[in-house]
Amino acid sequence: MQHGSPDSVSSLPQREIPATTVNTDGKPVAGGASIAVPQSSGMGQLWSIACANPLSLVAFALFFLLIAVAIVGPSLVPYDPLASNASIALQPPSAEHWFGTDNLGRDVFSRVVVATRLDLSISVMAVVLSLVAGSVLGAIAGYAGGWLDALVSRVMDTIMAFPLFVLAMGIVAALGNTIENIIYATAIINIPFYARLIRSEVRIRRNSTFAQAAFISGMSHWRVLLFTLLPNALPPMMVQMSLNLGWAILNAAGLSFIGLGVRPPTPEWGIMVAEGANFIVSGEWWLAVFPGVTLMLAVFTFNLMGDGLRDLVDPRQRQ
Amino acid sequence: MFTATGDTLSDAINPVIKRSNDDYGCKRAVMLLRRILQSLPVVAGVVLVSFLLTRALPGDPAVYFAGPAASEESIAEITRALGLDKPLPVQFALYVQDLFQGDLGQSLSTGQPVLSDLARRLPASLELTLFALLLSCAIAVPLGIAAATRPGSWRDHLCRIVVTAGVSLPTFFTGIVLIYVFYYLLGWAPSPLGRLDFLYIEPDHVTGFYLIDSILAGDVETFAGTLKQLLLPACTLALFTLAPIARMTRASMLAALSADYVRTARALGHSDRTVIFTYAFRNAMLSVVTTLGMVFSFALGANVLVEKVFAWPGIGSYAVEAQVVSDYAAVQGFVLAMALLFVALNLLIDIIASLIDPRMQLGEDT
């Protein structure tokens, strides 16, 4: 009886000596958190969902392809993306130049491939920044309540009161026209989404039994927040991040399309579409279409992946 | 006669009902006022942010506002004129004071006050955005209803494809593809340069909306020319806004169709038409109207890109041109104007939503 299941062993000391234990942290919390987190992981379930929704499987495959291209692409491309050669300018797609050449004779395929790394890193960095900033703000607001909550909420409302792309334009115009500022601008306009999500997730569970148990067992507010409340908000955050990545790429490409951030000789999808736009009215479609389609595919991948993750995380929303 | 007795009867039985009906209009007015008051802090926030943006310029803003060919004296003069030598709160007070007088500063590139530049170009942007939104509502709402009434049918799949593809489309790229297909390949569309081909004469300025002005002037040819020019950019913008509207219509129609009152209506023997349009649709519309707020946010942003692609002379392309030559007053004026427009639109949407559904409390957590 004494050597019962591991469960009863681990729960017994907690009940008997709650306050006198030296290391009061960890155990009760881990137990509480693991109960509250929905059991969403497991390769088996992942597989069954992938089979039920083949589109998600395609999305995950495309996602890994994009990552691979971003990492090894620049060292595999057949031509130098910056090398111009006026004698072969504006050639349509051929076996030699798969996506044709642009007005300076640069290989469009190489440029599209090389651009992947820049576009992905801009959006990933922006999303990570807004995730971190939004989580901190939202968690503090949701946990502390009171005037802090009111202040954070008002600031988020103010950001959302702007049409977001327009605000990003204003921020880049104010801070200066560089790639870093594109990242900051994209991050700032996405913060409210994370802050609101985390705030509501934390508020729901702030007074729950497992959070109170953690606090009573001697954890500081910070630890309660970090180890019991935040892990529960992770699943919806993953969905939000995936959807957000697509939106961040669109946003960054849109900004460089109107001449903000990335400077012309650098290969970047938005700029390439903008440069190609000048040639579309005379029929040289490949300049704009290939980077545009790639951009679309990347956004499409992140959106599909977000939908797939949502199915995984929140089965109620499955249609 | 009968209804009269009915009224007095119900009054006698339950006077509270009558009184609450009388109070209703008054209450509504109070709620409306409260909602308008609630948007004031947001406006204050927007003004504060736009002030910070103008002061966040790296280095000395006076150098930027003075232009590239400025001397020491002119920079010092501008510093004094802009009040940059004063503490920040004082600067903010001056900024707000200027705003109330409608002073957004001078545009470096056009040499005109920013406000008059924006006012002159605003109708072009509004005409494009509103026309595109009407277009996308006209397609998305029926599509969403068709998808919701027959889940799993080809219409539903069409709706899903449109929704997923629509959110992934970069607006500027869609515009370029449409130009290539309809202008270059098919030759159906006029050249994508501005609001009106040079063959036509601008209609007299009444509203600034060419479509309306040309009708007022009775000029059918100009109207047709305007429409032709407008159609392609409007389709580009509509394709972008289609997805959220269709998605929301479908979801809220599905929810409404599975509600008890729809089952009751069907059980009472109402036709499909009555059930779908009178019962389900009117209930579903509320959430569709509320999402329009978010759609507007996207549309106003996408508008900038579409205007750039089609050389549309609206405030979006004005801001883009100003951006290129570092004309900061113009860009910040544009950002502020767009934000105020968006706040006003959200207010309007809330009011419309409360008109559609009296249960919805104006000014409650929105």
Side-chain angles (χ1 to χ4, degrees), chain A residues 122-237:
Chain A
I122 289 179
S123 56
V124 167
M125 276 194 267
V127 167
V128 167
L129 270 182
S130 53
L131 172 76
V132 171
S135 304
V136 171
L137 288 175
I140 291 175
Y143 194 77
W147 65 270
L148 258 176
D149 184 22
L151 180 72
V152 171
S153 299
R154 285 293 87 75
V155 172
M156 293 304 133
D157 286 352
T158 307
I159 294 180
M160 294 293 282
F162 285 87
L164 295 178
F165 185 76
V166 172
L167 180 61
M169 275 178 72
I171 293 173
V172 177
L175 295 181
N177 196 351
T178 62
I179 295 184
E180 292 89 70
N181 290 336
I182 291 274
I183 296 174
Y184 293 140
T186 311
I188 288 173
I189 62 172
N190 281 321
I191 287 178
F193 295 103
Y194 293 100
R196 285 178 173 181
L197 185 70
I198 287 279
R199 174 179 171 272
S200 66
E201 293 283 327
V202 167
R203 270 180 79 91
I204 293 169
R205 301 194 180 84
R206 181 177 57 174
N207 294 326
S208 64
T209 338
F210 68 88
Q212 282 178 339
F215 183 64
I216 291 169
S217 70
M219 286 175 96
S220 66
H221 283 299
W222 286 109
R223 289 185 68 100
V224 173
L225 197 53
L226 205 61
F227 293 113
T228 71
L229 294 175
L230 278 187
N232 282 293
L234 274 181
M237 293 293 273

Side-chain angles (χ1 to χ4, degrees), chain B residues 94-360:
Chain B
L94 287 175
Y95 178 78
V96 174
Q97 195 185 336
D98 282 349
L99 277 189
F100 272 111
Q101 290 164 358
D103 181 8
L104 291 173
Q106 295 273 328
S107 162
L108 283 180
S109 40
T110 62
Q112 301 281 315
V114 172
L115 188 71
S116 68
D117 274 349
L118 288 176
R120 198 158 31 79
R121 281 166 162 257
L122 187 63
S125 296
L126 281 184
E127 185 172 41
L128 174 61
T129 312
L130 293 179
F131 188 78
L133 272 182
L134 281 180
L135 199 67
S136 85
C137 281
I139 300 168
V141 171
L143 186 66
I145 294 175
T149 47
R150 300 244 164 74
S153 68
W154 64 267
R155 293 174 194 159
D156 193 18
H157 291 301
L158 178 72
C159 180
R160 182 168 300 173
I161 292 170
V162 166
V163 164
T164 322
V167 283
S168 314
L169 284 176
T171 345
F172 49 93
F173 179 58
T174 337
I176 288 170
V177 170
L178 288 182
I179 289 175
Y180 180 67
V181 174
F182 291 101
Y183 171 69
Y184 180 77
L185 287 183
L186 298 173
W188 293 353
S191 66
L193 292 169
R195 293 176 82 182
L196 203 52
D197 210 64
F198 59 89
L199 293 174
Y200 303 97
I201 304 155
E202 266 184 44
D204 294 334
H205 186 95
V206 184
T207 57
F209 288 40
Y210 282 8
L211 281 180
I212 298 174
D213 284 356
S214 60
I215 285 190
L216 287 180
D219 188 347
V220 182
E221 254 179 69
T222 309
F223 179 79
T226 311
L227 193 63
K228 260 196 263 173
Q229 206 79 27
L230 183 61
L231 218 47
L232 223 47
C235 282
T236 311
L237 206 50
L239 273 176
F240 184 68
T241 51
L242 205 63
I245 301 178
R247 181 179 219 153
M248 200 60 217
T249 310
R250 178 175 176 276
S252 54
M253 272 304 276
L254 273 178
L257 281 172
S258 63
D260 285 344
Y261 57 82
V262 165
R263 197 184 53 182
T264 310
R266 281 198 205 281
L268 285 172
H270 286 301
S271 66
D272 258 9
R273 221 188 135 74
T274 318
V275 170
I276 291 173
F277 290 102
T278 312
Y279 289 84
F281 178 65
R282 286 174 65 177
N283 279 288
M285 264 331 271
L286 182 68
S287 34
V288 176
V289 170
T290 340
T291 42
L292 275 184
M294 206 60 222
V295 172
F296 262 118
S297 168
F298 290 137
L300 290 178
N303 199 31
V304 178
L305 298 170
V306 174
E307 284 183 11
K308 161 106 160 85
V309 171
F310 289 90
W312 196 259
I315 57 174
S317 56
Y318 172 70
V320 172
E321 284 158 23
Q323 185 92 65
V324 172
V325 294
S326 305
D327 183 358
Y328 292 102
V331 177
Q332 305 305 0
F334 160 78
V335 173
L336 182 63
M338 283 297 233
L340 293 180
L341 183 67
F342 184 48
V343 171
L345 283 172
N346 268 330
L347 186 62
L348 193 69
I349 286 168
D350 271 12
I351 292 170
I352 290 174
S354 79
L355 290 181
I356 291 179
D357 187 351
R359 286 171 309 181
M360 196 172 130

Side-chain angles (χ1 to χ4, degrees), chain A residues 2-28:
Chain A
Q2 282 169 332
H3 309 283
S5 65
D7 264 346
S8 63
V9 171
S10 71
S11 66
L12 208 59
Q14 283 170 31
R15 239 180 292 143
E16 285 189 350
I17 33 169
T20 50
T21 335
V22 184
N23 53 341
T24 41
D25 53 16
K27 273 191 179 141

Side-chain angles (χ1 to χ4, degrees), chain A residues 272-319:
Chain A
M272 292 176 71
V273 175
E275 287 174 344
N278 302 324
F279 295 91
I280 206 94
V281 282
S282 50
E284 282 98 7
W285 54 270
W286 56 91
L287 266 66
V289 165
F290 286 114
V293 166
T294 318
L295 171 62
M296 213 171 80
L297 202 68
V299 181
F300 192 62
T301 302
F302 289 120
N303 284 338
L304 271 185
M305 208 171 70
D307 287 344
L309 280 177
R310 180 181 311 166
D311 287 354
L312 208 68
V313 165
D314 186 2
R316 278 165 306 173
Q317 291 201 10
R318 235 174 266 166
Q319 299 262 317

